[in-house]
């Protein structure tokens, strides 16, 4: 279903399916994108601050986007990302953690210079199987307004 800016309501939420991250998932992502020992080397990670391998925060941010798109939050609407505010990694994500993403529309406003678009701000919360928040952010998306009939 195609949605326009006018179709988004403050307080509207979407929830994704849960996804389990394995140690192999974490290491594979980190080797390509964040090659630090706490993400890529189980022995070094075990001796480090976290006592074992943890996921890169960037992996969790990317996963949150994939799960949101899969959940169909914007439907068939072409949404362009405008940025992220207040990105916070709250807890380490470990192998075996099952993550779920919740997004809530927190504000909507017409684009200041392009009235054919609106800006939808969503609060993104990623939680684990213990209902602990592991990451939060505010996402800004540019969404087309409904065309004149």
């Amino acid at each position: 279903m195609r949605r326009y800016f006018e179709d988004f309501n403050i307080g509207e939420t979407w929830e994704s399916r849960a996804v389990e991250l394995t140690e192999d998932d974490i290491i594979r992502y980190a080797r390509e994108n964040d090659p630090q020992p706490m993400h890529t080397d189980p022995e070094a990670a075990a001796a480090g601050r976290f006592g074992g391998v943890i996921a890169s925060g960037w992996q969790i941010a990317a996963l949150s986007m994939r799960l949101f798109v899969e959940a169909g939050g914007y439907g068939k609407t072409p949404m362009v990302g405008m940025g992220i505010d207040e990105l916070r990694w709250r807890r380490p994500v470990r192998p075996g953690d099952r993550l779920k993403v919740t997004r809530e529309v927190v504000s909507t406003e017409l684009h200041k210079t392009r009235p054919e678009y609106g800006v939808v701000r969503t609060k993104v919360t990623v939680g684990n199987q213990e209902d602990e928040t592991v990451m939060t952010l505010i996402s800004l998306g540019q969404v087309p307004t409904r065309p004149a009939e």
Side-chain angles (χ1 to χ4, degrees):
M1 168 178 91
R2 185 172 175 103
R3 299 182 74 197
Y4 294 98
F5 170 73
E6 295 82 2
D7 299 324
F8 291 88
N9 298 300
I10 294 172
E12 177 179 345
T13 61
W14 303 275
E15 188 170 284
S16 77
R17 65 185 175 91
V19 170
E20 182 174 335
L21 283 183
T22 67
E23 186 171 87
D24 287 344
D25 295 331
I26 291 169
I27 291 171
R28 183 175 37 258
Y29 179 90
R31 282 187 177 148
E32 294 181 10
N33 301 290
D34 191 356
Q36 298 183 73
M38 65 193 149
H39 306 314
T40 62
D41 182 340
E43 285 183 31
R49 174 180 172 190
F50 299 101
V53 169
I54 62 168
S56 166
W58 297 111
Q59 181 176 15
I60 306 312
L63 178 66
S64 76
M65 184 64 191
R66 183 184 99 205
L67 291 174
F68 173 66
V69 170
E70 286 177 3
Y74 285 109
K76 295 183 182 204
T77 303
M79 187 279 303
V80 174
M82 297 177 64
I84 291 177
D85 292 336
E86 303 175 32
L87 172 60
R88 301 290 183 270
W89 294 299
R90 307 284 183 183
R91 301 182 68 81
V93 172
R94 300 179 184 280
D97 279 354
R98 292 182 54 77
L99 304 178
K100 189 184 300 185
V101 179
T102 303
R103 282 191 150 199
E104 177 184 0
V105 175
V106 294
S107 73
T108 60
E109 63 182 280
L110 281 175
H111 196 283
K112 290 180 180 17
T113 59
R114 299 190 65 191
E116 69 272 23
Y117 295 103
V119 177
V120 176
R121 294 169 74 80
T122 58
K123 179 180 180 186
V124 177
T125 303
V126 180
N128 65 18
Q129 68 281 356
E130 305 295 330
D131 288 325
E132 300 167 322
T133 299
V134 301
M135 187 191 82
T136 58
L137 62 86
I138 303 292
S139 174
L140 289 79
Q142 185 182 76
V143 180
T145 57
R146 190 175 312 286
E149 300 272 333

